[in-house]
Amino acid sequence: MSRSVLLLPGDGIGPEIVAEAEKVLHKVNDKFSLGLSFDTALVGGAALDAEDTPLPADTLDKARKADAILLGAVGGPKWDSLPMSNRPEKGLLGLRSNLELFANLRPAILYPQLASASSLKPEVVSGLDILIVRELTGGIYFGQPRGVRQLENGERQGYNTYQYTESEIRRIGRVAFEAAQQRGKKLCSVDKANVLEVTVLWREIMEELKSEYPDVELSHMYVDNAAMQLVKAPKQFDVIVTGNMFGDILSDEAAMLTGSIGMLPSASLNSEKQGMYEPCHGSAPDIAGQGIANPLATIISAAMMLRYSLNEDEAAAAIEAAVSKVLDQGLRTADIMSEGGQKVSTREMGEAVLNAL
Ligand code: NAD
């Protein structure tokens, strides 16, 4: 049975890193006879330039039909002055909401070879293995009403709405409890229940779910404390579950514990396990076009895609082993460069993974 993968390179370094992941996918497709077919479409700024919309109908149609999607990144200064409703990021948010990709899984794993790349002391981070489960289609990023309005006194006021329904909280809670069951059986729910009513409800629902997962130890933490604990004693965490905005921030913080955001994959899944896979980082306009971006987060995202949406564990493990091997060989893009490493370009890193496969 043929399965289809949609590639969405996007903007900035997106096309450079997706090109390397694509080569890796072609290689495992042949090697493991996966029967994958590939298609490509425009999203974000690239789509705005070509079709005046960040999410063309053709892209959405292809995304709906695909078994899995691999995205690079969207956005960049070129489009920053556009109205919010027509920014590249709308393409990404539109894909997430149209495909109901409500569960964002972001592992933060410290590869032993990169322990010295972390800004924290090796003893604080070595062996780090956290999974952040972030709610992705609700919360303040989607809540209505929103906007900037004129007040009677002539002043402008910006406003957004932070809201979650019980069912939205329950379904992300279940994903997190199930993930914890498969890992260290510890789940920390992060909220701001001392200030925000919406997260009082969040906490209540997480407590309700606890009885369905008696083997998982549930704890709660305020988001400000969680931000501190992540840099103070990150290894206390196994799985963290939180809402869209807190998850956005905490997962970037967790990413830095591992040395480089250029190493971290992510998966966004819907209830049918259809998924969009992408690196945690953005389009890195500061280094776009220079051939120095780290393609590994995208390549590891491709491995996650094989595992979670396409049920191809063996091919996924082969990619992960190949990544570990190139790190063992001392190959490093600039963002993870450390003493004794051999600096390589985006393409050279991709080629090294291909050779290791
Ligand atoms: P960013 O993640 O693009 O970059 C932050 C820093 O990390 C930069 O110094 C960059 O050079 C570096 N970096 C990121 N990825 C790297 C890689 N693979 N290899 C080496 N270094 C890497 O975040 P930003 O600068 O805040 O945002 C830039 C643009 O990306 C903005 O337009 C933003 O809206 C967009 N963005 C998109 C996504 C997405 O597509 N999922 C996510 C975040 C930001």
Side-chain angles (χ1 to χ4, degrees), residues 105-118:
L105 275 51
R106 291 187 172 209
I109 296 169
L110 185 74
Y111 286 80
Q113 301 95 325
L114 299 180
S116 63
S118 174

Side-chain angles (χ1 to χ4, degrees), residues 179-222:
Q181 277 183 322
Q182 289 164 7
R183 296 174 39 105
K185 300 190 168 37
K186 273 170 60 183
L187 176 62
C188 179
S189 171
V190 171
D191 61 39
K192 189 71 184 167
N194 51 343
V195 179
L196 299 169
E197 286 80 356
V198 51
T199 67
V200 173
L201 180 67
W202 178 282
R203 195 177 274 222
E204 264 175 48
I205 303 289
M206 291 296 160
E207 276 296 315
E208 261 175 50
L209 284 174
K210 192 167 76 173
S211 60
E212 292 177 36
Y213 305 90
D215 52 336
V216 175
E217 182 195 319
L218 174 70
S219 61
H220 303 277
M221 196 178 278
Y222 296 139

Side-chain angles (χ1 to χ4, degrees), residues 13 73-76 89 92 261-262 278 281-287 293-294 335:
I13 60 169
V74 298
E89 291 75 8
L92 190 55
I261 199 163
E278 53 180 312
H281 58 74
S283 58
D286 53 334
I287 58 165
N294 187 346
D335 57 308

Side-chain angles (χ1 to χ4, degrees), residues 6 59-67 69 95 98-99 274:
L6 180 64
T59 300
L60 183 56
D61 187 48
K62 284 179 173 176
R64 285 208 167 100
K65 290 179 182 145
D67 291 287
I69 302 161
L95 279 169
N98 275 289
L99 302 179
Q274 186 199 23

